């Protein structure tokens, strides 16, 4: 099986809280999964379908089906081939080990089908193996808080948190964004309105009075460009000229903090003083799915930093993500009001993370893998 194979997963019957819990455990479990699992909003084309209740199985799915099994439910043989049960606790949170075992079982089943199809196309006679089903039932079913909090202690056998490699597909820095980032950091409130014109013809308007920015294209699109865009000019404007410019064409409207988040991640300009060894951080909330440039590594950092206070060096050692990338993420989260900081690592204490607020709607469809 090729490494980093992608498996698409469609969920039905899950509440927003169920999806948050599933995604959180999935992000943490990715280093033990044999493939990358991607949630998608449409049933059509999904490799696997996950149901919150077995009663929803009336709607058939051509591929494997995973069904949540509540605590205390007696698990027997699957009702049909390709049906798997995933144990969850009373809060609808899958167990860490259970998710890994079941998802890898499904992965293996999909791989067998692919191999069989390839053999048949080559004219071979293939005996389809009988699918074996061994439901995974944990004697102790921890909640998401407990599972995440375990990461703050000694590494568990086989978890290998320290061996996670930094993503090679992470979007790189865009040096041409440095001028825009530096301008916004040094901008004076004497003028509330500003216009940024790029050589590509795209425009960014800044409204400091309302703490908003307007762009002729979504700024995330800049990450898809292979060439170097540049700034033609940046100028302050009065309110009248700003309104005239604003009415010339349609603009995407976002909070100004979203632009600062994006520039912190993808420019080389620093606006936040950080002691990478002594200063420790904890995330007070989850990044919203709508934030431009949200990447898989950011989810991994969010899951880790929601569970424990750590310095940038400690976070890098346990996640495998470069300190510079973590520093950019910390600054980006600072602009979104998501960071708690403490300069005394020796006073670190365990903290019970809040329940994530609001499901990251369609999050994996928007994340750069």
């Amino acid at each position: 099986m090729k490494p980093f194979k992608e498996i698409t997963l469609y969920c039905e019957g899950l509440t927003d809280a169920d999806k948050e819990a599933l995604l959180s455990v999935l992000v943490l479990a990715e280093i033990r999964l044999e493939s990358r699992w991607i949630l998608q909003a449409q049933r059509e084309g999904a490799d696997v379908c996950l149901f919150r209740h077995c009663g929803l199985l009336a709607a058939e799915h051509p591929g494997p089906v995973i069904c949540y099994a509540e605590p205390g439910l007696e698990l027997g043989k699957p009702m049909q081939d390709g049906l798997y049960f995933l144990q969850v606790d009373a809060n609808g949170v899958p167990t860490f080990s259970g998710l890994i075992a079941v998802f890898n079982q499904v992965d293996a089943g999909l791989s067998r089908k692919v191999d069989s199809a390839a053999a048949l196309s080559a004219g071979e006679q293939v005996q389809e193996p009988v699918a074996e089903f061994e439901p995974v039932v944990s004697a102790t079913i921890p909640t998401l808080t407990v599972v995440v909090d375990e990461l703050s202690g000694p590494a568990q056998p086989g978890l290998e948190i320290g061996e996670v490699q930094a993503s090679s597909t992470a979007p790189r820095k865009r040096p041409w964004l440095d001028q825009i980032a530096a301008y916004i950091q040094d901008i004076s409130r004497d003028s509330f309105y500003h216009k940024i014109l790029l050589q590509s013809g795209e425009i960014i308007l800044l409204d400091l009075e309302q703490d908003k920015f307007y762009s002729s294209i979504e700024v995330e699109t800049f990450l898809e460009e292979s060439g170097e865009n540049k700034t033609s000019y940046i100028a302050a404007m009065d309110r009248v000229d700003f309104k005239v410019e604003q009415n010339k064409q349609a603009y995407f409207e976002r909070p100004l903090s979203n632009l600062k988040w994006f520039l912190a991640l993808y420019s080389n300009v620093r606006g936040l003083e950080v002691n990478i060894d002594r200063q420790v951080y904890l995330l007070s909330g989850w990044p919203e799915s709508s934030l431009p440039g949200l990447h898989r590594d950011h989810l991994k950092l969010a899951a880790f930093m929601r569970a424990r206070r750590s310095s940038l060096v400690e976070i890098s050692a346990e996640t495998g993500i470069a300190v510079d990338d973590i520093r950019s993420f910390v600054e980006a989260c600072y602009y979104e009001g998501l960071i708690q900081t403490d300069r005394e690592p020796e006073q670190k204490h365990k903290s019970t993370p809040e329940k994530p607020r609001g499901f990251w709607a369609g999050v994996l469809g928007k994340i750069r893998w």
Side-chain angles (χ1 to χ4, degrees):
M1 179 173 57
K2 295 182 180 180
F4 307 120
K5 180 184 67 178
E6 292 185 350
I7 298 177
T8 53
L9 177 67
Y10 168 76
C11 299
E12 185 165 319
L14 273 66
T15 65
D16 288 351
D18 292 332
K19 292 177 182 178
E20 287 170 353
L22 172 64
L23 181 59
S24 299
V25 180
L26 183 58
V27 168
L28 292 174
E30 70 165 359
I31 59 173
R32 296 290 307 280
L33 295 176
E34 312 228 346
S35 301
R36 288 176 176 168
W37 288 70
I38 305 173
L39 271 65
Q40 70 176 39
Q42 304 82 23
R43 175 197 292 268
E44 184 179 0
D47 298 316
V48 183
C49 189
L50 186 150
F51 292 100
R52 184 63 178 82
H53 301 288
C54 293
L56 298 172
L57 289 175
E60 294 185 0
H61 184 267
V65 170
I66 301 173
C67 185
Y68 274 5
E70 301 291 353
L73 178 65
E74 183 178 352
L75 299 180
K77 293 294 182 181
M79 290 181 288
Q80 60 189 57
D81 291 340
L83 175 62
Y84 301 81
F85 286 98
L86 176 60
Q87 194 81 47
V88 296
D89 66 12
N91 295 317
V93 180
T95 63
F96 183 80
S97 60
L99 183 141
I100 293 171
V102 172
F103 276 35
N104 279 337
Q105 285 176 14
V106 175
D107 190 355
L110 287 171
S111 298
R112 286 196 298 268
K113 287 188 176 182
V114 170
D115 293 341
S116 297
L120 287 173
S121 65
E124 300 177 12
Q125 295 296 320
V126 178
Q127 180 67 35
E128 182 70 19
V130 178
E132 296 182 359
F133 174 74
E134 296 181 359
V136 178
V137 182
S138 175
T140 302
I141 305 174
T143 64
L144 176 62
T145 299
V146 175
V147 170
V148 174
D149 198 47
E150 287 172 354
L151 298 180
S152 62
Q156 298 178 28
L159 191 54
E160 301 171 352
I161 291 293
E163 298 182 13
V164 181
Q165 299 298 315
S167 172
S168 60
T169 59
R172 59 181 175 83
K173 299 282 186 178
R174 298 296 193 273
W176 65 269
L177 292 172
D178 294 359
Q179 183 180 358
I180 300 175
Y183 180 83
I184 292 178
Q185 287 185 12
D186 297 335
I187 205 166
S188 171
R189 287 277 175 170
D190 293 340
S191 177
F192 288 112
Y193 308 101
H194 302 261
K195 176 182 177 179
I196 302 172
L197 176 64
L198 304 178
Q199 286 187 351
S200 61
E202 305 300 344
I203 296 174
I204 299 176
L205 302 177
L206 308 178
D207 183 347
L208 275 61
E209 186 174 27
Q210 299 295 325
D211 280 324
K212 294 181 179 180
F213 82 96
Y214 303 84
S215 56
S216 54
I217 61 172
E218 287 281 19
V219 293
E220 193 172 33
T221 307
F222 294 146
L223 301 179
E224 302 171 0
E225 299 176 356
S226 57
E228 291 291 302
N229 206 338
K230 292 183 180 179
T231 304
S232 289
Y233 74 86
I234 303 178
M237 310 173 70
D238 59 29
R239 180 180 176 82
V240 174
D241 289 341
F242 182 84
K243 291 299 181 183
V244 170
E245 184 66 49
Q246 194 177 21
N247 291 329
K248 284 183 179 179
Q249 60 176 308
Y251 287 95
F252 293 94
E253 176 184 338
R254 282 182 177 268
L256 184 58
S257 62
N258 285 189
L259 180 59
K260 293 180 178 179
W261 151 282
F262 181 79
L263 293 173
L265 292 175
Y266 299 108
S267 78
N268 298 297
V269 176
R270 304 294 188 192
L272 188 66
E273 292 185 6
V274 174
N275 183 318
I276 64 173
D277 294 302
R278 293 195 58 215
Q279 199 163 3
V280 298
Y281 296 91
L282 178 74
L283 278 193
S284 60
W286 292 90
E288 293 289 338
S289 64
S290 59
L291 288 171
L294 189 65
H295 182 266
R296 184 180 184 86
D297 281 354
H298 304 149
L299 291 183
K300 185 185 298 183
L301 289 172
F304 185 89
M305 294 177 65
R306 284 281 283 159
R308 58 181 290 185
R309 295 177 183 271
S310 302
S311 69
L312 270 61
V313 170
E314 292 171 331
I315 297 170
S316 178
E318 299 216 40
T319 63
I321 298 174
V323 169
D324 185 65
D325 291 335
I326 300 171
R327 182 174 179 175
S328 296
F329 177 72
V330 166
E331 181 165 340
C333 288
Y334 170 79
Y335 293 130
E336 288 295 327
L338 301 175
I339 285 289
Q340 293 180 6
T341 182
D342 186 345
R343 290 185 178 273
E344 301 296 334
E346 61 271 17
Q347 295 181 1
K348 291 186 292 184
H349 59 277
K350 293 184 178 181
S351 173
T352 301
E354 298 175 2
K355 188 178 181 63
R357 298 177 182 174
F359 177 58
W360 302 336
V363 61
L364 294 183
K366 298 180 181 179
I367 295 171
R368 301 185 172 275
W369 293 71

